[in-house]
Amino acid sequence: MQTRKLMAGVLVAGLLAAACGSGDEDAGGGGGGDGDAVTLVVESWRADDKAVWEDTIIPAFEESHEGIELEFQPTAPTEYNAALENRLDGGEAGDIIACRPFDISLELFEAGHLEAVDDLEGMDAFDDVARSGWVTDDGATTYCVPMASVIHGFYYNKDVFDELGLEPPTTTEDLHTVLDAIAADGAATPIAQGTVDQWDIAEVDYTGIGPNYWKGEEGRQALIDGSAQFTDPEYVAPFEELATWGQYMPDGYEALSYDDAKVLFTNGDGAIFPGGSWEITGFERDAGFELGVFAPPLPTDGDPCYISDHVDIGMGMNADTEHADEARTFLEWVASEEFAQLYSNELPGFFSLREGAVEVDNALADDFVSWRDDCESTIRLPAQKLNRGDPAMWDELYAVSSEVVNGTLTPADAAQRLQEGLDSWYTPSE
């Protein structure tokens, strides 16, 4: 019994010594040194990127920033907005906030949940288009570091094109020559797309080909400041083009979903898929043929070109973080060229918004981003300011774009409906 009591006493004394004294010993030896490290929790809706963050991005940052550790904590995309707002209101949110573009993050900033980031080192590398998703209406304050965009274009089946001796089209006339040739051959559906989901017809098709008609930012800003209307020819013309596409889609396209269309394309039954750079990884995994991409065709040969290079994700700082200095250090790294190269290569199809060339290893991603060399970038037309009222511009655009392709609404009537909806609540000066 005495021995057991003695052993118990020694054990307790040892545990007390460990609890009281070993902290200094551990901090000073063994190469650990993480007793003083600050851990920044990163909130994001990009659960699909968790492995990339944990395997590549976090190690790259921590290697060059001793004393700061990162923990990536994603929330399901459909739950992110509400969950994040609740955590911010309750003082339980992470230190770093992945920022959705436009009004959602603007509301967080105006509620005092996000800090301004204009004075961070590296922010001068982001132009007005890059900042547009995370800037106050007066343009005075940026509240998230622009991180990545996605680019709209057209995927095509190179085997089909090669068999028919076709080249990727550069003009609308070329596109119709290609579509007619594929249709005449009959082996594949010219355009693998349906209209039942609506969003893709509006976001990918109308705002994908549209910038070449309304001259990108010039036309987008003109709608915002009220100097242009949807009924002007440059906004009606993309609808007129879309009105011709239904004949090139598969039978029953009115009931075909976006996901079904992807399967149709990757199975080799569709020749062209209007899409975005976010599909690169999935298409390369699923398609049993060589893929190619081409930019939205020009209305007329020689016209200046514009691409929808839509801002998709930024990073901001929780205004209530207890580690503001470390959070700023991390965000300055997010604004760096090192991060731009790393992110663009680890997530093909999501491109840094930083000025300057980004070297991308993935061939399809490199094709997409190369369009920035010759074309001016813009973003999706209704994304900024024009979607705040009732009826919401996106809802209206989803509906009318699909109806135009289905042949149940004329291009002119679609434009008229959009303008009337906008006029019912929007005042350009606000």
Side-chain angles (χ1 to χ4, degrees), residues 290-358:
E290 188 176 1
L291 290 159
V293 293
F294 60 85
L298 300 170
T300 305
D301 189 26
D303 284 350
C305 63
Y306 303 86
I307 55 171
S308 180
D309 190 358
H310 191 71
V311 295
D312 185 67
I313 184 172
M315 279 286 175
M317 183 174 76
N318 183 349
D320 290 333
T321 178
E322 295 178 354
H323 309 297
D325 290 343
E326 290 83 0
R328 291 172 63 83
T329 296
F330 172 69
L331 291 178
E332 288 180 344
W333 184 71
V334 171
S336 71
E337 183 177 355
E338 177 188 358
F339 180 84
Q341 295 290 345
L342 187 67
Y343 194 84
S344 298
N345 278 292
E346 290 298 324
L347 295 165
F350 294 85
F351 304 107
S352 169
L353 288 159
R354 200 176 191 277
E355 289 185 339
V358 176

Side-chain angles (χ1 to χ4, degrees), residues 8 49 86 93 95 137 166-167 204 213 245 258 266 281 316 386 411:
D49 302 345
N86 287 337
D95 307 278
D137 283 355
L166 301 173
E167 295 292 330
V204 177
Y213 295 87
W245 287 16
Y258 180 79
T266 55
T281 301
L386 302 181

Side-chain angles (χ1 to χ4, degrees), residues 70-403:
L70 301 176
E71 182 178 342
F72 187 71
Q73 287 191 354
T75 302
T78 55
E79 301 170 7
Y80 181 70
N81 297 351
L84 175 62
E85 188 170 355
N86 287 337
R87 286 197 289 271
L88 287 168
D89 288 340
E92 299 176 343
D95 307 278
I96 302 295
I97 307 298
C99 304
R100 293 191 189 271
F102 303 107
D103 294 345
I104 292 174
S105 291
L106 178 60
E107 290 172 2
L108 295 180
F109 174 71
E110 291 177 340
H113 291 312
L114 294 172
E115 285 285 330
V117 297
D118 297 279
D119 63 340
L120 292 181
E121 182 178 341
M123 285 300 291
D124 57 353
F126 298 98
D127 63 17
D128 290 344
V129 174
R131 293 178 184 231
S132 62
W134 306 281
V135 69
T136 51
D137 283 355
D138 61 4
T141 305
T142 307
Y143 42 86
C144 295
V145 178
M147 206 161 94
S149 71
V150 292
I151 299 176
H152 296 187
F154 294 78
Y155 294 88
Y156 69 97
N157 183 326
K158 282 191 172 183
D159 292 349
V160 172
F161 274 54
D162 288 346
E163 288 171 6
L164 298 178
L166 301 173
E167 295 292 330
T170 58
T171 67
T172 302
E173 182 179 358
D174 293 341
L175 174 64
H176 281 265
T177 299
V178 166
L179 294 173
D180 288 338
I182 298 169
D185 176 70
T189 297
I191 298 178
Q193 195 173 36
T195 59
V196 71
D197 287 338
Q198 298 188 338
W199 71 265
D200 50 329
I201 306 299
E203 294 188 20
V204 177
D205 293 359
Y206 183 74
T207 71
I209 66 171
N212 279 332
Y213 295 87
W214 58 69
K215 298 182 179 178
E217 280 297 280
E218 179 179 324
R220 189 180 74 85
Q221 295 294 343
L223 282 178
I224 292 174
D225 67 25
S227 61
Q229 296 195 328
F230 274 106
T231 50
D232 293 340
E234 59 267 35
Y235 307 97
V236 178
F239 282 131
E240 292 173 337
E241 173 59 20
L242 290 186
T244 69
W245 287 16
Q247 63 184 306
Y248 299 114
M249 294 180 181
D251 292 341
Y253 68 86
E254 298 92 340
L256 189 72
S257 72
Y258 180 79
D259 288 339
D260 289 339
K262 289 198 300 183
V263 173
L264 182 75
F265 177 67
T266 55
N267 281 348
D269 295 325
I272 295 173
F273 182 90
S277 57
W278 61 89
E279 298 291 2
I280 288 176
T281 301
F283 279 1
E284 288 188 327
R285 180 192 62 224
D286 298 334
F289 51 85
E290 188 176 1
L291 290 159
V293 293
F294 60 85
L298 300 170
T300 305
D301 189 26
D303 284 350
C305 63
Y306 303 86
I307 55 171
S308 180
D309 190 358
H310 191 71
V311 295
D312 185 67
I313 184 172
M315 279 286 175
M317 183 174 76
N318 183 349
D320 290 333
T321 178
E322 295 178 354
H323 309 297
D325 290 343
E326 290 83 0
R328 291 172 63 83
T329 296
F330 172 69
L331 291 178
E332 288 180 344
W333 184 71
V334 171
S336 71
E337 183 177 355
E338 177 188 358
F339 180 84
Q341 295 290 345
L342 187 67
Y343 194 84
S344 298
N345 278 292
E346 290 298 324
L347 295 165
F350 294 85
F351 304 107
S352 169
L353 288 159
R354 200 176 191 277
E355 289 185 339
V358 176
E359 296 182 5
V360 180
D361 295 333
N362 181 282
L364 285 178
D366 190 52
D367 285 343
F368 270 107
V369 78
S370 70
W371 301 339
R372 287 179 175 173
D373 296 338
D374 300 318
C375 306
E376 293 186 23
S377 294
T378 185
I379 61 174
R380 294 170 187 157
L381 199 63
Q384 189 177 34
K385 298 184 181 180
L386 302 181
N387 195 49
R388 295 175 179 172
D390 183 15
M393 180 56 64
W394 272 127
D395 291 343
E396 288 282 87
L397 193 57
Y398 289 176
V400 302
S401 298
S402 298
E403 290 179 45

